[in-house]
Amino acid sequence: MKTIKFFSIATACFLAAIGCSKTTPVSPDTQLKAVPTVFSDQTSEFAFDFLKKHNAAEKADKNYFVSPLSLHIALGMLLNGANGKTKDEIQSGLRLSSDDMAANNNVYKDLMEGLPKTDPKVTNTIANSVWYRNSFSVEKSFLDILKTSFNAAAYAEDFNNAATVGKINAWASDNTNGKIKQVLDKIEPAHVMFLMNALYFKGDWKIPFKVENTRDETFFGTSTVAKKVKMMNMTEKVKYAKRPDYQAIELPYGSGNYVMTVLLPNENTLTMKADLASTSVINLINTMSATEWKSLHAAMQEQKVIVGLPKFTLEYETNLNAVLGKMGMPTMFSDAADLSKISPPAGKLKVGFVKQNTFVAVDEKGTEAAAVTTIGIELTSAPILPEFVCNRPFAFFISEKQSNTILFAGKIVNL
């Protein structure tokens, strides 16, 4: 039996919340406010563009786990501090066609307030924070927007104190149920601010796998040596679809408002080869789009299916600078960045790094997943001024410019 590198649980939660129909009725207390269709479609496009670009950047034989939702929210906070070309690139990269930041921020707010409430049987928390050097001047309007629209806590700290790194890591740990304990190992002198989003998910399967049905089975990955894994098994009614190049199932959590969608490339005689095993997955991800995602879920029908899913735990960390650059957002990483809504003037700040730390564990009971996206903002490079200090022997001349006549010349070796 073959399997694939799974799409992010956070992706599934995000896209299910904004683009897919609910599997069970919801009470008014758990009803997520309607997300504008345009926003929904555009954020789906962002998610798949991100996955494709990241897929291309990551090694073909390496597992990964990322959160488009966490990244989108963190960049959404940054967008509120950007101006000019930098703002245009971030907005375009996020696939947000509307220039109405207040409207966009309201949708972010609705998602962050509504997603954790959509299923009382599932735990889903979203937290934001902004950390800045206590000697650095931040625009009050920027902090107010982050607090109002993103519920972001603001912390002014001494970045020269090693204890500050511990405080930031503790915040990440506290907001991921201890699953992500470290996102920073040090603070560079140029760093003046960190924008952070933490996303945590824990859901039990609506139909759990029975532990007694878990058995050792062979997993054919990219290695030339097949590996034995703990394969969970069940035969139950689940939503299923067979597409031209792959098949898919939908495994619900809790009451069914959150789901894991698993995509499995079609098996053929060639995919047993290690190099082609990963190629089939890469090709599958590259063919996914917001349109195909909608079409897939529309095609899914509930039927009895023999399901085999391996147990696994994965911790992952990735720097996203290059990926975001390829998604059309290079200027924010350069000295030409305009983040003047955070702290004027333009050209003073740039994004030093965007990184994501993630965790996922899948077993017979359910899934636990977490992500922290950290955006490090730093001072742009100050021009390197030449030093001319006459503290050693020197020569000098006195001349007339129009005639280019040297009137005097001298040398000083002792004073």
Side-chain angles (χ1 to χ4, degrees):
M1 178 178 291
K2 292 184 181 298
T3 189
I4 67 168
K5 299 173 183 176
F6 298 108
F7 278 105
S8 164
I9 301 303
T11 309
C13 297
F14 187 33
L15 297 178
I18 65 177
C20 302
S21 61
K22 304 295 184 183
T23 57
T24 57
V26 292
S27 68
D29 291 337
T30 60
Q31 179 68 59
L32 178 65
K33 286 186 180 180
V35 174
T37 302
V38 172
F39 190 97
S40 170
D41 291 343
Q42 291 169 346
T43 50
S44 295
E45 290 170 4
F46 166 82
F48 288 113
D49 186 32
F50 169 45
L51 286 171
K52 290 173 186 176
K53 297 295 194 302
H54 183 267
N55 197 52
E58 186 55 276
K59 294 179 180 178
D61 62 349
K62 185 174 180 180
N63 297 326
Y64 64 75
F65 183 67
V66 292
S67 173
L69 174 57
S70 178
L71 179 60
H72 206 289
I73 293 174
L75 290 173
M77 291 194 289
L78 180 67
L79 179 61
N80 280 275
N83 255 327
K85 182 180 180 181
T86 305
K87 175 181 180 293
D88 293 342
E89 287 182 356
I90 299 173
Q91 182 176 321
S92 177
L94 290 173
R95 300 297 193 270
L96 299 179
S97 60
S98 174
D99 285 325
D100 188 346
M101 282 305 303
N104 291 332
N105 288 341
N106 283 337
V107 178
Y108 280 121
K109 184 176 182 179
D110 290 343
L111 281 172
M112 289 183 293
E113 291 179 351
L115 285 176
K117 301 175 183 177
T118 59
D119 191 335
K121 295 182 179 180
V122 170
T123 299
N124 180 22
T125 60
I126 306 172
N128 297 307
S129 63
V130 52
W131 302 74
Y132 60 96
R133 193 180 290 271
N134 56 12
S135 59
F136 178 68
S137 177
V138 183
E139 287 288 285
K140 182 178 182 297
S141 57
F142 177 68
L143 294 178
D144 288 344
I145 289 173
L146 296 194
K147 180 179 180 180
T148 302
S149 299
F150 295 85
N151 196 29
Y155 303 93
E157 299 287 342
D158 179 5
F159 278 16
N160 295 323
N161 188 338
T164 300
V165 172
K167 292 180 180 180
I168 293 174
N169 287 331
W171 182 89
S173 180
D174 290 344
N175 286 283
T176 58
N177 196 35
K179 298 306 174 185
I180 298 176
K181 294 182 172 61
Q182 179 173 308
V183 295
L184 294 178
D185 56 4
K186 62 181 177 180
I187 297 177
E188 301 289 351
H191 289 155
V192 293
M193 178 178 288
F194 300 104
L195 298 177
M196 300 181 67
N197 168 268
L199 181 63
Y200 176 74
F201 175 90
K202 191 175 192 305
D204 291 346
W205 302 118
K206 187 175 183 179
I207 305 174
F209 290 84
K210 294 181 180 179
V211 175
E212 57 268 27
N213 290 339
T214 298
R215 54 183 178 267
D216 290 338
E217 291 192 19
T218 303
F219 181 84
F220 300 96
T222 60
S223 173
T224 55
V225 179
K227 184 179 179 182
K228 290 291 184 180
V229 299
K230 295 293 183 182
M231 188 71 70
M232 305 182 296
N233 293 276
M234 70 175 176
T235 302
E236 297 286 349
K237 280 189 175 182
V238 296
K239 284 194 172 182
Y240 170 86
K242 186 169 180 58
R243 310 294 278 174
D245 298 317
Y246 69 96
Q247 53 185 323
I249 59 169
E250 187 178 278
L251 301 176
Y253 298 99
S255 300
N257 294 333
Y258 288 97
V259 299
M260 175 189 282
T261 303
V262 185
L263 311 182
L264 189 66
N266 288 343
E267 186 177 29
N268 57 55
T269 56
L270 295 178
T271 54
M272 292 304 233
K273 295 182 179 180
D275 55 341
L276 294 176
S278 62
T279 300
S280 60
V281 180
I282 292 171
N283 291 340
L284 173 57
I285 293 174
N286 287 337
T287 60
M288 290 302 296
S289 65
T291 301
E292 173 62 14
W293 181 257
K294 281 186 175 181
S295 179
L296 166 63
H297 282 273
M300 281 188 161
Q301 298 293 326
E302 190 171 81
Q303 66 180 82
K304 187 165 286 189
V305 179
I306 299 172
V307 179
L309 183 67
K311 294 175 62 172
F312 64 93
T313 298
L314 175 64
E315 294 184 26
Y316 183 73
E317 177 177 320
T318 183
N319 182 294
L320 298 173
N321 289 26
V323 169
L324 293 174
K326 291 180 180 178
M327 291 176 67
M329 295 174 266
T331 303
M332 65 182 181
F333 298 106
S334 73
D335 285 358
D338 185 348
L339 300 176
S340 53
K341 288 185 178 179
I342 296 178
S343 181
K348 178 182 180 180
L349 301 174
K350 68 177 179 179
V351 175
F353 67 85
V354 179
K355 66 187 293 264
Q356 213 171 73
N357 296 79
T358 60
F359 168 90
V360 62
V362 175
D363 61 17
E364 292 90 351
K365 187 176 181 181
T367 301
E368 187 172 22
V372 175
T373 300
T374 307
I375 299 178
I377 298 173
E378 61 187 41
L379 297 173
T380 53
S381 303
I384 300 176
L385 302 178
E387 291 189 6
F388 192 84
V389 180
C390 296
N391 55 5
R392 53 196 179 275
F394 63 94
F396 67 102
F397 303 83
I398 299 175
S399 66
E400 194 277 324
K401 295 284 289 182
Q402 290 189 38
S403 64
N404 196 27
T405 301
I406 298 173
L407 280 69
F408 305 94
K411 177 183 73 171
I412 301 296
V413 293
N414 291 297
L415 290 174

